[in-house]
């Protein structure tokens, strides 16, 4: 706390966490992307809302395609290796389906939701794919609401009207992609997996 006040994220209004594994760690964000990281142009926001700026990569698909081409060259991915990766994707998808179908308890969440809500939410973010995907949607809506100046009532109405449908469609999209990154073809999943999942627009103008 500074001056008796707990620092909070401007977007979600929640206090920052400063412990390993905390669910709301701070991150430095530029207010204006055209300017450098100088004192007058930075702010602290929750790390989940901070992502690489698209201005740095004009065409993210071209960038990732080039990255994967370099990876293939670096690691010498021959057809046999590619077939192994396909088999791994199939296994990963079946594992994801099982996780999505189970309750938090069956996925290994031991904290009690009533007496230890923070611990319960933290464990769900580590063990439950559905929670991670749903939470990604809520974060995106909160970010859009902040950027567009929505009122609490507008944000609540949007979540009620479109949020639930969007969450279900994202679960289907995740399985359609076979728990695999759209660009790199690498596995994506829970935060403690090789790569945590993240939502990305294909078209930055929409």
């Amino acid at each position: 706390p500074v001056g008796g006040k707990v620092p909070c994220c401007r977007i979600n209004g929640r206090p920052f966490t400063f412990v390993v594994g905390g669910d709301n760690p701070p991150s430095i964000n530029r207010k204006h992307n055209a300017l450098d990281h100088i004192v007058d142009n930075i702010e602290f926001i929750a790390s989940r809302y901070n992502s690489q700026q698209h201005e740095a990569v004009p065409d993210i698909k071209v960038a990732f395609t080039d990255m994967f081409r370099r990876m293939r060259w670096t690691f010498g991915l021959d057809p046999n290796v590619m077939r192994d990766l396909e088999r791994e994707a199939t296994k990963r998808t079946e594992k994801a389906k099982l996780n999505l179908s189970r309750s938090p308890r069956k996925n290994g969440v031991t904290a009690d939701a009533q007496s230890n809500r923070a611990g319960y939410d933290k464990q769900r973010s580590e063990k439950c794919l559905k929670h991670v995907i749903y939470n990604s949607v809520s974060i995106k809506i909160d970010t859009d609401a902040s950027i567009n100046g929505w009122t609490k009532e507008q944000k609540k109405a949007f979540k009620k009207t479109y949020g639930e449908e969007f969450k279900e469609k994202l679960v289907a999209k995740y399985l359609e992609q076979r728990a695999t990154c759209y660009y790199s073809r690498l596995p994506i999943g829970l935060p403690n997996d090789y790569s945590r999942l993240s939502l990305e627009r294909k078209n930055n103008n929409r």
Side-chain angles (χ1 to χ4, degrees), residues 12 14-15 17 19 21-25 46-48 117-118 121-122 125:
N12 63 20
R14 295 174 53 204
T17 53
V19 296
D23 64 351
N24 204 48
S47 62
R48 69 182 67 183
R117 187 69 195 189
D121 287 340
K122 182 176 182 300
S125 70

Side-chain angles (χ1 to χ4, degrees), residues 97-166:
K97 288 179 179 178
L98 182 61
N99 185 287
L100 288 164
S101 69
R102 294 187 302 201
S103 67
R105 291 294 177 194
K106 289 187 176 181
N107 278 329
V109 174
T110 58
D112 182 71
Q114 300 300 321
S115 61
N116 184 12
R117 187 69 195 189
Y120 178 75
D121 287 340
K122 182 176 182 300
Q123 288 186 14
R124 282 199 302 168
S125 70
E126 296 171 345
K127 300 177 182 295
C128 301
L129 273 172
K130 185 174 289 186
H131 173 73
V132 173
I133 294 173
Y134 282 15
N135 195 45
S136 296
V137 175
S138 295
I139 289 171
K140 288 297 183 182
I141 293 176
D142 287 344
T143 302
D144 286 346
S146 176
I147 293 173
N148 295 301
W150 295 353
T151 64
K152 289 183 178 180
E153 290 73 20
Q154 288 174 319
K155 183 170 71 172
K156 183 178 180 180
F158 186 90
K159 285 185 175 182
K160 182 178 180 180
T161 305
Y162 300 106
E164 296 306 314
E165 178 184 358
F166 192 35

Side-chain angles (χ1 to χ4, degrees), residues 4 15 23-24 51 53 55 78 81 119 160 162 165 171 183 185:
D23 64 351
N24 204 48
S51 61
Q53 304 301 328
E55 289 80 356
D78 60 30
V81 174
K160 182 178 180 180
Y162 300 106
E165 178 184 358
V171 169
Y183 296 112
R185 314 312 301 166

Side-chain angles (χ1 to χ4, degrees), residues 8-14 16 29-31 43-46 49 143 146-147:
C8 296
C9 171
R10 171 180 61 80
I11 296 176
N12 63 20
R14 295 174 53 204
F16 290 123
N29 178 58
R30 285 183 296 169
K31 297 178 182 177
E43 63 179 348
F44 286 100
I45 63 173
Y49 297 106
T143 302
S146 176
I147 293 173

